[in-house]
Amino acid sequence: MDANRQRILTVIAQIPPGKVATYGQIASLAGLPRRARLVGRVLKTCADPKIPWYRVVNSRGEISLRSGSECQQVQYEALLEEGVEFDIRRRIDLSRFQWHPDPLTP
DNA sequence: AAGGTGACTTTTC
DNA sequence: TGAAAAGCCACCT
């Protein structure tokens, strides 16, 4: 559904700088539980420069793009720029950097 | 129409 | 700690 895609993009757009969110989390926030893969698909097809797609990582706190993709490096550097820390294995500590959605978002 | 695929997640071994 | 398997769902042959 196109409306669902729009909802997903809206949720991603609300992720604050310096924080990240997982695919599953975004799906839930968008009202689409268990559609994590749909989120991934939306980002792949849309990849809008208007939205902070690079703040979306998988449940391990890892960049989910396959190696070799230029976008992976772009995402990595973009997150570093926002203050997100990666460990030696290029993983994010989700317990510290995962986005905690605000209850009230006018 | 049916089966393969994937920017995922969670459980098991 | 980590790899493997099983769920899942929309999209593409």
Side-chain angles (χ1 to χ4, degrees):
Chain A
M1 224 160 162
D2 209 43
N4 286 345
R5 183 186 69 193
Q6 201 55 49
R7 260 174 245 155
I8 290 172
L9 293 176
T10 301
V11 172
I12 295 175
Q14 293 174 26
I15 306 175
K19 294 286 181 183
V20 297
T22 68
Y23 294 87
Q25 180 186 4
I26 290 168
S28 287
L29 290 173
L32 304 165
R34 297 193 188 111
R35 267 78 167 166
R37 302 191 93 153
L38 179 58
V39 175
R41 235 197 78 68
V42 167
L43 292 184
K44 178 182 182 177
T45 59
C46 293
D48 291 324
K50 299 283 296 181
I51 64 172
W53 57 269
Y54 45 81
R55 293 185 193 142
V56 183
V57 296
N58 62 23
S59 61
R60 289 175 173 176
E62 205 169 27
I63 294 174
S64 215
L65 283 164
R66 303 187 183 193
S67 355
S69 178
E70 307 162 0
C71 297
Q72 184 177 31
Q73 185 66 17
V74 171
Q75 178 170 12
Y76 174 70
E77 291 178 2
L79 290 176
L80 273 186
E81 192 63 25
E82 295 190 342
V84 177
E85 299 173 20
F86 289 77
D87 65 6
I88 186 68
R89 278 179 142 189
R90 293 219 147 169
R91 276 201 242 160
I92 302 168
D93 184 353
L94 286 182
S95 65
R96 305 203 301 142
F97 291 103
Q98 184 169 34
W99 175 41
H100 219 294
D102 298 329
L104 295 176
T105 308

